[in-house]
Amino acid sequence: MNKSALVYDDLMQKIDAEVYQLGTYLPSENQLCDLYGISRETGRKALATLAENGYIQKIRGKGSLVIEHRQYEFPVSGIVSYKELAQKLHIATENVVYGYDPEATLPIAAFASLGVDLTEEPVTAIKRVRVIDDEPDIIDKDYILKSVIPDVPRKAAEDSLYAYFEDELGLEIGYATKEITMEPANAEDRAELNLDPGAYMAVVRSVTSLTDARAFQFTESRHRADKFRFRDFARRQRKPM
C-alpha cells in the first residue's frame, strides 16, 4: 500500500468504528499531515478516495463532513460474504444449512434473465437460512460450478464460502452481475421463514465471476419483503466543460 491508501484505510476504519461520527468533520488537511507525517498531496488523495466511496462530503470552507455511507443492510450491493457483513454491522446471526447436494445440476431457468450463457452443468448446491436476532429472515441458495471448484465441504458452507474460496483455495473473486425482483413467497419460503400465505419476497439473483472472467457461483438470495432494505450510494459524475 502507498501512503495515501494507508491513510484512507485508517480513516475508513475510524469512521466505521464511529471514532469520527456521522455529521462531524475529519481533521483538516494540515492536521492530517501532522497526524500521519504525510504531505498535503497525500492527504488530499486519501480524502478524495473517501469522498468517491461515499464516506465524506467536502464542504467548502469547512472541511470533510462524515456522511451516511453504508451501502447495504444485507448483501445486495457489492461483493461481500454474509459473515463479513454481519461482523461489520455487528449483527447477531446464525447460519443454518438445510440443504447440501454435492451432485446437483445448475437450475438454468432461475438465472436466465441475467444475460449469461448457461448450460446444465454439475454444481454443488447449498441452501442456507440466515437467522438474524433469533428470527429466520433470508434464504440463500448457492450453486458452485464443479468445473471451477470441484469440492465444497459442508463445513465451508456452515462457516463462510468466501473464506474457503479465497483463503484456502487462493481464488480471486472479481465481479458479479445482479438483479432484484419482488415475488410471492413459495411453499419453501413460507416453511423455512415461518411466513403467512400471501407474503412476498425480495429476490436477489447473481452470477459471480473470478478475476479471470470465469463464472463460478450462481446465487438466489430470498429476503422477507417486510425486512428487506436496499440502500446504495451514488455520486454524480459531471462532464468536463
Side-chain angles (χ1 to χ4, degrees):
M1 277 192 183
N2 58 38
K3 285 188 177 181
S4 66
L6 289 170
V7 173
Y8 163 80
D9 191 62
D10 187 64
L11 290 172
M12 179 189 66
Q13 291 184 40
K14 287 177 177 176
I15 292 172
D16 283 337
E18 298 185 348
V19 174
Y20 300 122
Q21 296 183 354
L22 180 69
T24 65
Y25 287 87
L26 295 183
S28 68
E29 289 183 5
N30 287 335
Q31 289 172 324
L32 289 177
C33 292
D34 293 336
L35 284 170
Y36 294 100
I38 56 174
S39 67
R40 292 193 66 180
E41 181 62 25
T42 297
R44 287 194 191 103
K45 287 181 180 179
L47 293 175
T49 306
L50 286 170
E52 289 171 6
N53 291 337
Y55 282 86
I56 62 172
Q57 176 66 44
K58 300 283 291 207
I59 307 295
R60 182 174 295 179
K62 292 187 176 181
S64 302
L65 179 69
V66 178
I67 62 175
E68 176 58 63
H69 64 280
R70 288 189 175 125
Q71 296 183 323
Y72 35 70
E73 295 293 334
F74 297 113
V76 178
S77 179
I79 305 176
V80 62
S81 76
Y82 193 83
K83 183 176 181 179
E84 291 168 341
L85 186 67
Q87 291 172 343
K88 181 176 181 179
L89 299 184
H90 308 292
I91 300 172
T93 68
E94 182 182 0
N95 185 29
V96 179
V97 177
Y98 73 95
Y100 176 80
D101 184 356
E103 302 296 335
T105 301
L106 179 66
I108 58 176
F111 300 96
S113 61
L114 284 171
V116 294
D117 294 330
L118 301 174
T119 57
E120 293 184 346
E121 296 186 56
V123 297
T124 300
I126 299 165
K127 295 181 178 181
R128 296 175 289 181
V129 170
R130 313 296 196 173
V131 181
I132 302 171
D133 294 330
D134 297 322
E135 188 172 42
D137 283 352
I138 304 168
I139 293 174
D140 275 345
K141 300 180 182 181
D142 289 291
Y143 305 94
I144 314 301
L145 295 187
K146 297 183 76 67
S147 59
V148 181
I149 303 176
D151 177 54
V152 181
R154 185 182 180 108
K155 184 178 180 181
E158 293 171 345
D159 184 25
S160 170
L161 288 177
Y162 276 22
Y164 175 69
F165 298 154
E166 295 177 319
D167 299 339
E168 295 197 32
L169 300 185
L171 298 175
E172 295 185 9
I173 298 171
Y175 58 90
T177 301
K178 301 189 179 189
E179 71 169 7
I180 304 173
T181 60
M182 299 298 295
E183 302 174 11
N186 57 34
E188 184 177 9
D189 298 329
R190 294 193 296 271
E192 296 297 333
L193 303 183
N194 301 325
L195 299 177
D196 295 327
Y200 267 74
M201 306 294 291
V203 182
V204 184
R205 294 185 176 90
S206 63
V207 180
T208 304
S209 300
L210 302 175
T211 53
D212 62 9
R214 285 183 296 164
F216 76 99
Q217 179 185 26
F218 294 75
T219 301
E220 182 179 305
S221 187
R222 304 180 66 84
H223 302 242
R224 284 179 49 170
D226 62 326
K227 295 293 185 73
F228 179 81
R229 182 183 301 169
F230 173 67
R231 182 184 301 168
D232 205 351
F233 177 84
R235 188 178 296 279
R236 177 171 168 76
Q237 299 296 324
R238 298 186 64 182
K239 294 180 180 180
M241 300 297 290

